[in-house]
Amino acid sequence: MSLKVIGEDRGEWAVLRVSGELDLVTSPLVRQHVHDAVADGRRSLVLDLSQVLFCDSSGVGVLIASRRLMRSCAGRLRLILPAQGAVDGSHVNRVLAALGVRRLFDCYPDLDEATDDAASPLSA
């Protein structure tokens, strides 16, 4: 399976909808899209990972690097990791929790919540 990244704007938020498998081969595509958003001056970024079916350590590395990049430019990064996402639940959510890094991210159940400044992130 491949990976697809579709970008859109939602007000001040740049949204990257990621679907497929996030692994060693495909994770550079996500990294490039994040870097392109920052290069375009975007400082508020949502990664919609609800349709990611698989995520390995390379994918986790890209998420952590994206967090670091956004923080370095005084930006914001939010993830969409619904309890019920791709097929039987958010694979990325389970992977991040298993590795103990889920608490590093502000996660939301859907795009409306993720782009609402008044919304509170899901608990880790």
Side-chain angles (χ1 to χ4, degrees):
M1 175 173 264
S2 62
L3 183 87
K4 222 189 265 191
V5 180
I6 299 171
E8 68 179 75
D9 291 331
R10 176 72 72 101
E12 69 180 307
W13 292 91
V15 178
L16 298 177
R17 294 181 185 267
V18 183
S19 61
E21 296 184 356
L22 187 54
D23 58 23
L24 179 63
V25 174
T26 61
S27 59
L29 179 62
V30 175
R31 175 179 280 124
Q32 187 60 54
H33 277 276
V34 170
H35 282 269
D36 290 348
V38 170
D40 288 343
R42 304 310 296 260
R43 296 299 177 262
S44 298
L45 178 65
V46 173
L47 291 177
D48 181 351
L49 306 174
S50 61
Q51 295 303 311
V52 172
L53 301 171
F54 175 82
C55 180
D56 69 5
S57 60
S58 301
V60 173
V62 165
L63 296 177
I64 291 172
S66 296
R67 177 183 181 268
R68 187 177 313 120
L69 174 63
M70 295 308 293
R71 290 172 64 94
S72 74
C73 64
R76 302 180 288 173
L77 174 66
R78 294 181 175 180
L79 306 182
I80 297 177
L81 296 175
Q84 295 301 313
V87 185
D88 61 347
S90 175
H91 177 79
V92 179
N93 198 18
R94 292 192 308 265
V95 169
L96 294 177
L99 294 173
V101 296
R102 164 67 173 70
R103 61 183 169 69
L104 298 176
F105 299 96
D106 289 335
C107 301
Y108 295 81
D110 56 45
L111 185 58
D112 288 336
E113 291 281 321
T115 57
D116 180 357
D117 287 332
S120 297
L122 299 170
S123 59

